[in-house]
């Protein structure tokens, strides 16, 4: 086998080995591709599930916000009704306080009325004493002025008695004046008591009317409070649903991030495999090109061929040999080039 054929055989062997390695790399690359496609499908599915949870969370949020708006409007209505009820209760307290105050004053007047009656009875005895003393003083003074038979000593004694009676009369006069005032107050107290009783009855009636109005408003408030509690419960329910869906979406998102990390690792591995495969292909092609160069293309190949032919005696300078082949046989056979891998 000549050198050219040897080179071709060696190049072909190297091409087979490199091809085998390339086939292994391609197979491994296909495995990575299939793994990557499976992971990307799973990632797409996770993104879809995450989107569904986010959409559900958004729906819960919209429903929660709508209920909260209703709750706010209802609360304003409830607060307005509460102000009305508070005003009614203030009126109830005012009427009740007025009634109790009037009744308390009536009790005091009843006590005063009884005391005045006792004082009036005492006043009648005082008046009798006053009248009696006044009459006696007048009689004694009259006797002293008209009688001429009264001795000087007796006259002095009568004058002393009159003086004492006048002193007592002076003491009784204020009590007589008070008796007259008490009599007048007794008349006013009775009329006042009657008026106060009427006012107390009127205040009590107004209080009962206000209580009835408050009870009616209380029934409406019970309905308003019940609806308020319902709206609050609905708002809490939608909010809890929103939180739950967001937590699920976050959980799926974390899984997606982990899967994205794995996908990135696979892509990086594929890049490394491609780079390594391309390096093998480039080295192989460069080796084939170098080995398939002719003598005209490579000085090393030419020198090697010349040395081989000279050693075998198959080359001469300036003539021919007996073993020269015919022109048809002398035609060079086509070169068998090594395989190139693209």
């Amino acid at each position: 086998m000549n050198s050219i054929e040897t080179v071709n055989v060696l190049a072909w062997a190297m091409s087979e080995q490199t091809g085998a390695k390339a086939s292994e790399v391609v197979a491994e690359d296909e495995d990575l591709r299939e793994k990557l496609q499976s992971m990307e499908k799973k990632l797409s599915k996770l993104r879809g599930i995450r989107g569904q949870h986010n959409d559900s969370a958004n729906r819960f949020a919209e429903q929660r916000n709508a209920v909260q708006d209703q709750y706010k409007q209802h609360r304003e209505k409830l607060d307005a009704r509460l102000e009305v009820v508070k005003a009614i209760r203030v009126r109830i307290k005012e009427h009740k306080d007025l009634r109790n105050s009037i009744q308390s004053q009536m009790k005091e007047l009843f006590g005063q009325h009884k005391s005045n009656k006792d004082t009036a009875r005492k006043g009648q005895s005082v008046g009798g004493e006053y009248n009696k003393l006044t009459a006696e003083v007048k009689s004694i003074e009259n006797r002293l002025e008209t009688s001429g038979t009264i001795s000087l000593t007796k006259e002095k004694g009568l004058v002393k008695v009159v003086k004492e009676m006048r002193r007592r009369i002076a003491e009784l006069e204020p009590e007589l004046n008070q008796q007259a005032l008490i009599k007048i107050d007794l008349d006013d107290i009775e009329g006042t008591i009657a008026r106060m009783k009427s006012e107390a009855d009127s205040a009590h009636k107004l209080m009962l009317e206000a209580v009835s109005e408050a009870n009616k408003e209380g029934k409406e408030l019970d309905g308003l409070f019940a609806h308020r509690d319902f709206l609050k419960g609905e708002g809490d329910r939608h909010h809890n649903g929103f939180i739950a869906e967001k937590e699920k979406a976050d959980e799926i998102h974390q899984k997606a991030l982990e899967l994205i990390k794995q996908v990135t690792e696979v892509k990086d591995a594929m890049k490394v495999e491609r780079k390594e495969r391309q390096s093998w292909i480039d080295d192989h092609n460069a080796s084939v090109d170098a080995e398939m160069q002719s003598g005209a293309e490579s000085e090393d190949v030419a020198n090697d061929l010349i040395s081989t032919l000279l050693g075998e005696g198959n080359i001469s300078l300036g003539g021919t040999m007996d073993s020269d082949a015919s022109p048809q046989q002398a035609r060079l056979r086509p070169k068998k080039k090594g395989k190139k891998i693209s």
Side-chain angles (χ1 to χ4, degrees), residues 105-117 181-197:
Q105 292 178 16
M106 287 173 63
K107 290 180 181 180
E108 293 178 0
L109 288 175
F110 276 123
Q112 186 177 357
H113 180 60
K114 182 179 179 181
S115 176
N116 289 341
K117 286 183 177 180
L181 291 175
I182 288 174
K183 187 175 182 181
I184 296 172
D185 288 340
L186 286 174
D187 295 337
D188 291 339
I189 287 174
E190 290 176 356
T192 302
I193 289 174
R195 289 193 302 271
M196 291 177 69
K197 185 177 184 302

Side-chain angles (χ1 to χ4, degrees), residues 5 11 18 36 58 65 75 86 90 96 104 119 134 138 140 164 186 212 217 226 230 245:
E5 291 177 348
T18 305
L36 180 61
N58 292 334
N65 295 338
R75 186 57 187 267
K86 287 180 181 179
V90 169
K96 183 178 180 180
S104 178
T119 304
T134 303
K138 185 177 180 180
I140 292 171
E164 188 68 25
L186 286 174
S212 177
E217 291 291 338
F230 169 75
E245 291 298 324

Side-chain angles (χ1 to χ4, degrees), residues 61-77 227 231-232 234-235 238:
E62 291 175 357
Q63 294 173 352
R64 178 200 61 192
N65 295 338
V67 171
Q68 287 179 346
D69 290 339
Q70 294 179 15
Y71 179 85
K72 183 178 179 181
Q73 296 175 1
H74 183 74
R75 186 57 187 267
E76 293 175 354
K77 182 180 179 180
H227 190 59
L231 291 176
K232 186 178 183 302
E234 284 295 297
H238 291 307

Side-chain angles (χ1 to χ4, degrees), residues 267-284:
K267 287 183 177 180
D268 292 340
M270 291 179 65
K271 288 180 181 179
V272 172
E273 292 293 339
R274 290 194 189 100
K275 186 176 181 181
E276 184 177 358
R277 182 179 63 184
Q278 186 64 42
S279 176
W280 289 343
I281 293 173
D282 292 342
D283 292 343
H284 168 73

Side-chain angles (χ1 to χ4, degrees), residues 175-326:
E175 295 183 17
L176 290 175
N177 294 332
Q178 185 179 4
Q179 180 181 353
L181 291 175
I182 288 174
K183 187 175 182 181
I184 296 172
D185 288 340
L186 286 174
D187 295 337
D188 291 339
I189 287 174
E190 290 176 356
T192 302
I193 289 174
R195 289 193 302 271
M196 291 177 69
K197 185 177 184 302
S198 176
E199 291 177 2
D201 292 340
S202 177
H204 182 70
K205 182 179 179 181
L206 292 174
M207 184 196 72
L208 293 179
E209 291 177 354
V211 169
S212 177
E213 186 178 355
N215 291 335
K216 182 179 178 180
E217 291 291 338
K219 292 180 180 179
E220 294 183 4
L221 281 177
D222 291 341
L224 292 175
F225 278 120
H227 190 59
R228 180 202 64 178
D229 295 340
F230 169 75
L231 291 176
K232 186 178 183 302
E234 284 295 297
D236 293 341
R237 184 174 66 84
H238 291 307
H239 182 66
N240 292 334
F242 166 78
I243 292 176
E245 291 298 324
K246 274 298 183 182
E247 289 177 351
K248 293 177 181 178
D250 291 340
E251 182 179 356
I252 296 299
H253 181 68
Q254 293 300 323
K255 292 181 179 180
L257 291 178
E258 184 65 25
L259 189 58
I260 289 174
K261 182 179 179 181
Q262 297 176 9
V263 167
T264 302
E265 292 175 355
V266 172
K267 287 183 177 180
D268 292 340
M270 291 179 65
K271 288 180 181 179
V272 172
E273 292 293 339
R274 290 194 189 100
K275 186 176 181 181
E276 184 177 358
R277 182 179 63 184
Q278 186 64 42
S279 176
W280 289 343
I281 293 173
D282 292 342
D283 292 343
H284 168 73
N285 290 337
S287 177
V288 170
D289 290 340
E291 292 171 354
M292 294 305 299
Q293 287 179 349
S294 62
E297 295 172 344
S298 176
E299 184 177 356
D300 293 335
V301 173
N303 293 332
D304 184 54
L305 291 174
I306 292 172
S307 299
T308 302
L309 294 174
L310 288 175
E312 295 176 354
N314 294 328
I315 187 172
S316 63
L317 298 176
T320 61
M321 298 187 65
D322 295 338
S323 59
D324 289 343
S326 63

Side-chain angles (χ1 to χ4, degrees), residues 42-86:
K42 185 176 180 181
L43 179 61
S44 177
K45 185 177 180 180
L46 288 176
R47 286 172 174 168
I49 296 174
R50 181 187 62 185
Q52 292 176 1
H53 287 304
N54 284 327
D55 292 341
S56 180
N58 292 334
R59 288 193 296 270
F60 275 119
E62 291 175 357
Q63 294 173 352
R64 178 200 61 192
N65 295 338
V67 171
Q68 287 179 346
D69 290 339
Q70 294 179 15
Y71 179 85
K72 183 178 179 181
Q73 296 175 1
H74 183 74
R75 186 57 187 267
E76 293 175 354
K77 182 180 179 180
L78 178 60
D79 291 341
R81 300 309 301 173
L82 283 174
E83 291 298 325
V84 173
V85 173
K86 287 180 181 179

